[in-house]
């Protein structure tokens, strides 16, 4: 599933992550990350973003993320906000998929 | 060690010559700066220092190479050293701190020879013992007369105490003062005295007052830091050393400075006064003196405008050299008389080792300072630190670099609990009887890991870029080159 429109979420504040998500020409998801904790957590953050996209059955999007040291819970929340905005479903959240274990 | 004598500076005889020279170039010539020499600087001007860069540029222009720099510390402003290293002008660095682009350059292997990182007390020890032999000291001074009676208070710049520079002036073979305020003779009270001074250069501007001292030290409003500070002050109050005529030092970080505020309230409530406060002196500490809650301040480094004014006007605000402050090879530094020291940390591990030097990405970003000196000396060493900053854990399995060994650290106060070094059973027994949240350091490290997630290990090469000296001169740790 692709998005209805490009969407953004998050801020550039410390401990937050700024996310932009938009459709690309293919069927694969692409993630571009720049992070102040790239060395320690870069791979993990990219993997987390892919995992969340998959969980929401999103395919063929490009995610640009600028991370300022956000925790995993923040990254999940920001990405899910962006996904639902892109699907124009921000007022109809699918709570069975959004489960913060 | 008992065979050692203090290193002596060269004896020279004054023959009535004019010490005031017309330019830096002339001073470099007269001082005989040549290839391979060790030259020193102080860091009282912090990020407002113009002089180190000016001196090094003049030395580079003369084609002099292989200079060994022994600065009491280095800041972001000293980035131009990168070019001097690349051109072979500078081949060795001794410092307490290293920040910004220069720190990154060295972390990534830009300087062939490993730098040496020393504590403030350790540097004084190394200079007095002749391990660092300073050929020429270039010392920025806010004012001096034409003979070299120099003070930390001048018309254009003010830095208060000249505690670091005093040691260099006493032990360097040649001393060149750099000033932008040449006063009539005699310029008293003076921190550096005329007998130690060879030359004086009057420059247009030696520093930026805004970079030298902050206008005011504001207390943190961060609720996490305030909670940590309040609990740290409660720990201090709960221990038996908190009594009339006690003594303490607080570090300059947000939380450790805020401890001062809570401590002051407790002192008033309990009707007790301190005999002295040691530091790094900033406004909150100067206010304690002015409110009559301490008899004396001992000051190696004056941080802000308020404290500088206190230094100038309060007779019991004493200037001390960094050797008096914390030199372990002496018959007792003032640090040796401390009851409490409150210090911050970039990282602290399960063995209570503290890192204040290297970021968790492996890049140098801090300063050893007086951390290990005061931790080793005080009866109780309290570290104040949040469990994590951003996504970076502060309480970790193993610190990236050891500056202060865990044996010298007694209590860790975080916003999630207070951990006591198991070696201090006396402190643990007392704190367990209070309502303070005492936990094990392992519980704190586990909690941090759970919140931030396990980081990927940082990659280093085998090459050493920095040797970290403990205050007694032994190598306590090394920093390896960070892989780009």
């Amino acid at each position: 599933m692709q998005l209805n429109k490009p969407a953004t979420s998050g801020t550039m504040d410390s401990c937050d992550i700024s996310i932009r998500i938009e459709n690309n020409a293919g069927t694969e998801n692409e993630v571009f990350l720049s992070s102040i904790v790239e060395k320690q957590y870069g791979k993990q953050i990219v993997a987390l973003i892919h995992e969340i996209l998959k969980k929401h059955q999103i395919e063929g999007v490009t995610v640009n993320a600028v991370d300022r040291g956000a925790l995993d819970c923040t990254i999940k929340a920001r990405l899910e906000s962006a996904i639902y905005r892109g699907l124009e479903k921000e007022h109809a959240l699918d709570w069975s998929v959004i489960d913060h274990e | 060690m008992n065979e050692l004598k203090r290193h002596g500076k060269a004896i020279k005889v004054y023959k009535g010559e004019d010490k005031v020279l017309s330019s830096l170039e002339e001073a470099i010539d007269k001082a005989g700066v040549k290839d391979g020499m060790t030259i020193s600087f102080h860091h009282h001007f912090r990020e407002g220092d113009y002089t180190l860069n000016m001196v090094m540029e003049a030395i580079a222009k003369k084609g002099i190479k292989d200079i060994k720099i022994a600065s009491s510390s280095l800041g972001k402003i000293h980035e131009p050293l990168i070019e001097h290293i690349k051109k072979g002008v500078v081949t060795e660095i001794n410092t307490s701190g290293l920040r910004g682009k220069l720190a990154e350059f060295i972390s990534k292997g830009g300087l062939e020879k490993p730098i040496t990182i020393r504590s403030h007390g350790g540097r004084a020890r190394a200079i007095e013992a002749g391990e660092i032999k300073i050929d020429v000291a270039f010392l920025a001074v806010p004012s001096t007369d034409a003979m070299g009676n120099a003070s930390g208070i001048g018309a254009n710049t003010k830095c208060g105490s000249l505690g670091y520079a005093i040691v260099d002036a006493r032990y360097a073979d040649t001393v060149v003062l750099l000033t932008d305020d040449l006063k009539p003779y005699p310029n008293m009270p003076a921190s550096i005295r005329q007998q130690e001074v060879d030359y004086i250069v009057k420059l247009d501007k030696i520093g930026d007052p805004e970079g030298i001292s902050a206008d005011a030290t504001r207390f943190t409003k961060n609720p996490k830091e305030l909670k940590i500070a309040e609990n740290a002050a409660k720990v201090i109050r709960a221990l038996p050393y908190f009594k009339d005529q006690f003594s303490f030092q607080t570090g300059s970080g947000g939380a450790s400075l805020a401890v001062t505020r809570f401590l002051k309230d407790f002192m008033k409530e309990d009707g007790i006064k301190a005999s002295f406060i040691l530091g790094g002196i900033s406004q909150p500490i100067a206010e304690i003196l002015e409110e009559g809650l301490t008899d004396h301040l001992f000051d190696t480094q004056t941080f802000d405008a308020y404290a500088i004014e206190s230094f100038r006007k309060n007779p019991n605000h004493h200037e001390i050299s960094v050797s008096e402050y914390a030199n372990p090879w002496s018959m007792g530094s003032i640090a040796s008389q401390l009851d409490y020291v409150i210090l911050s940390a970039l990282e602290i591990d399960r063995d209570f080792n503290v890192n204040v030097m290297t970021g968790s990405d492996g890049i140098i970003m801090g300063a050893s300072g007086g951390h290990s000196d005061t931790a080793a000396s005080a009866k109780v060493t309290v570290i104040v630190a949040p469990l994590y900053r951003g996504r970076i854990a502060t309480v970790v399995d193993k610190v990236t670099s050891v500056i202060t060994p865990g044996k010298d650290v007694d209590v860790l106060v975080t916003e999630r609990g207070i951990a006591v070094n198991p070696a201090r059973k006396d402190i643990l027994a007392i704190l367990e009887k209070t309502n303070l949240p005492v936990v094990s350091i392992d519980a704190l490290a586990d909690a941090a890991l759970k919140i931030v997630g396990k980081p990927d290990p940082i990659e280093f090469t085998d090459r050493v870029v920095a040797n970290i000296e403990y205050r007694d001169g032994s190598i306590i740790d090394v920093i390896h080159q960070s892989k780009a």
Side-chain angles (χ1 to χ4, degrees):
Chain A
M1 165 167 67
Q2 282 195 305
L3 305 173
N4 298 347
K5 62 169 194 188
T8 61
S9 69
T11 69
M12 293 291 282
D13 289 346
S14 177
C15 307
D16 200 351
I17 184 167
S18 169
I19 286 176
R20 181 180 166 82
I21 179 168
E22 59 196 319
N23 292 333
N24 59 36
T27 55
E28 299 286 311
N29 292 329
E30 286 180 305
V31 176
F32 297 100
L33 172 74
S34 89
S35 170
I36 56 168
V37 293
E38 192 122 22
K39 280 186 186 174
Q40 301 96 318
Y41 293 102
K43 284 182 199 152
Q44 296 179 42
I45 294 170
V46 170
L48 178 69
I49 290 173
H50 277 294
E51 184 193 312
I52 293 166
L53 292 171
K54 197 176 161 194
K55 194 163 110 183
H56 291 272
Q57 295 167 342
I58 302 293
E59 282 166 354
V61 299
T62 299
V63 174
N64 279 290
V66 181
D67 171 51
R68 303 267 297 143
L71 297 174
D72 277 357
C73 52
T74 310
I75 297 168
K76 271 187 190 171
R78 292 303 192 192
L79 181 57
E80 285 176 343
S81 298
I83 291 171
Y84 276 87
R85 283 171 186 163
L87 293 171
E88 295 182 291
K89 279 168 71 177
E90 61 262 50
H91 300 297
L93 303 186
D94 186 350
W95 291 105
S96 66
V97 183
I98 305 170
D99 60 333
H100 288 280
E101 58 280 337
Chain B
M1 196 176 121
N2 48 6
E3 290 300 311
L4 271 179
K5 300 262 184 199
R6 279 204 186 109
H7 173 67
K9 76 186 272 167
I11 292 175
K12 292 174 224 168
V13 179
Y14 181 62
K15 298 192 187 75
E17 63 269 37
D18 189 358
K19 293 186 184 183
V20 180
L21 307 178
S22 62
S23 69
L24 265 182
E25 288 70 23
E26 192 187 355
I28 290 164
D29 289 342
K30 286 229 161 130
V33 177
K34 57 175 192 281
D35 293 5
M37 274 192 167
T38 298
I39 65 172
S40 84
F41 302 91
H42 67 71
H43 74 288
H44 286 287
F45 283 16
R46 291 168 282 266
E47 294 296 343
D49 173 45
Y50 294 164
T51 58
L52 186 149
N53 292 338
M54 290 165 78
V55 170
M56 289 314 302
E57 196 183 322
I59 285 176
K61 273 198 184 136
K62 287 187 182 289
I64 300 167
K65 303 271 184 196
D66 192 20
I67 291 293
K68 299 164 174 63
I69 289 188
S71 186
S72 57
S73 200
L74 294 168
K76 287 179 191 159
I77 194 161
H78 302 122
E79 186 183 326
L81 281 178
I82 294 174
E83 281 311 304
H84 299 312
I85 292 169
K86 284 182 178 166
K87 291 184 176 133
V89 180
V90 172
T91 54
E92 195 178 308
I93 291 180
N94 298 272
T95 184
S96 157
L98 205 59
R99 293 183 172 86
K101 296 231 167 73
L102 176 63
E104 199 176 327
F105 176 77
I106 286 169
S107 300
K108 290 182 174 167
L111 181 61
E112 199 179 315
K113 190 164 179 207
I115 66 165
T116 305
I117 293 163
R118 289 187 180 84
S119 70
H120 290 330
R123 179 179 188 267
R125 179 203 60 77
I127 290 172
E128 292 191 6
E131 288 172 23
I132 305 173
K133 288 184 179 141
I134 303 170
D135 294 302
V136 186
F138 288 93
L139 305 175
V141 291
S143 72
T144 177
D145 59 38
M147 282 302 288
N149 295 298
S151 147
I153 308 285
N156 308 313
T157 58
K158 293 181 177 64
C159 67
S161 173
L162 283 171
Y164 301 109
I166 289 169
V167 173
D168 294 39
R170 207 168 283 162
Y171 289 89
D173 280 338
T174 303
V175 174
V176 180
L177 300 185
L178 311 171
T179 193
D180 53 13
D181 183 18
L182 197 56
K183 291 259 204 280
Y185 186 88
N187 179 39
M188 297 303 276
S191 304
I192 293 171
R193 298 300 182 90
Q194 63 186 47
Q195 280 188 309
E196 290 162 350
V197 176
D198 294 86
Y199 304 108
I200 295 150
V201 183
K202 167 103 167 38
L203 299 164
D204 288 340
K205 245 180 164 353
I206 56 172
D208 170 14
E210 301 220 338
I212 296 171
S213 68
D215 272 347
T217 309
R218 282 194 196 84
F219 273 121
T220 177
K221 286 185 178 148
N222 180 332
K224 197 151 87 170
E225 286 187 338
L226 287 173
K227 186 180 176 192
I228 293 167
E230 186 175 5
N231 275 343
K234 284 180 178 169
V235 167
I236 291 167
R237 188 189 210 176
L239 299 177
Y241 311 103
F242 188 71
K243 55 177 195 259
D244 203 37
Q245 297 297 302
F246 82 120
S247 63
F248 69 95
Q249 169 168 353
T250 47
S252 52
S256 74
L257 203 54
V259 173
T260 312
R261 172 164 62 178
F262 292 103
L263 208 51
K264 187 162 89 174
D265 291 344
F266 292 164
M267 288 164 72
K268 284 182 186 165
E269 280 174 35
D270 296 1
I272 70 170
K273 277 169 60 173
S275 55
F276 73 91
I277 306 174
L278 180 61
I281 300 297
S282 52
Q283 177 172 350
I285 302 288
E287 284 173 352
I288 291 182
L289 176 70
E290 290 174 354
E291 287 178 39
L293 289 168
T294 184
D295 295 334
H296 300 276
L297 297 186
F298 288 116
D299 185 352
T300 44
Q301 181 180 17
T302 326
F303 281 114
D304 57 42
Y306 190 96
I308 290 167
E309 183 55 19
S310 163
F311 173 85
R312 198 188 59 75
K313 72 180 183 200
N314 292 320
N316 280 355
H317 184 150
H318 311 287
E319 175 177 59
I320 55 168
S321 79
V322 72
S323 181
E324 284 177 272
Y325 169 61
N327 183 350
W329 284 3
S330 69
M331 279 304 291
S333 65
I334 292 171
S336 75
Q337 300 304 299
L338 272 177
D339 289 323
Y340 296 96
V341 66
I342 298 93
L343 298 163
S344 51
L346 285 173
E347 292 176 328
I348 177 166
D349 67 22
R350 291 175 191 262
D351 298 320
F352 287 86
N353 296 307
V354 176
N355 166 27
V356 286
M357 198 71 214
T358 318
S360 54
D361 57 356
I363 304 289
I364 299 168
M365 59 167 289
S368 169
H371 203 286
S372 64
D373 295 312
T374 50
S377 306
K379 293 193 180 79
V380 180
T381 299
V382 180
I383 302 291
V384 287
L387 200 61
Y388 58 96
R389 297 182 177 93
R391 195 180 181 153
I392 300 300
T394 309
V395 188
V396 295
D397 289 343
K398 199 139 185 33
V399 290
T400 311
S401 331
V402 180
I403 291 289
T404 295
K407 71 172 176 61
D408 293 339
V409 174
D410 302 316
V411 184
L412 165 66
V413 181
T414 75
E415 76 280 21
R416 302 252 178 160
I418 297 166
V420 180
N421 190 327
R424 290 302 299 260
K425 293 192 179 73
D426 55 328
I427 294 177
L428 188 61
I430 292 165
L431 294 186
E432 275 179 341
K433 287 191 197 114
T434 66
N435 59 1
L436 289 165
V438 178
V439 295
S440 72
I441 193 153
D442 287 328
L444 292 175
D446 292 345
L449 194 63
K450 200 175 166 200
I451 293 164
V452 301
K454 194 172 173 56
D456 294 333
I458 299 298
E459 292 188 20
F460 294 99
T461 72
D462 289 337
R463 190 173 147 203
V464 173
V465 296
N467 289 309
I468 302 173
E469 257 194 35
Y470 187 55
R471 59 199 304 254
D472 64 3
S474 60
I475 301 294
I476 193 168
D477 204 355
V478 297
I479 301 174
H480 286 101
Q481 180 184 349
S482 167
K483 271 192 187 167

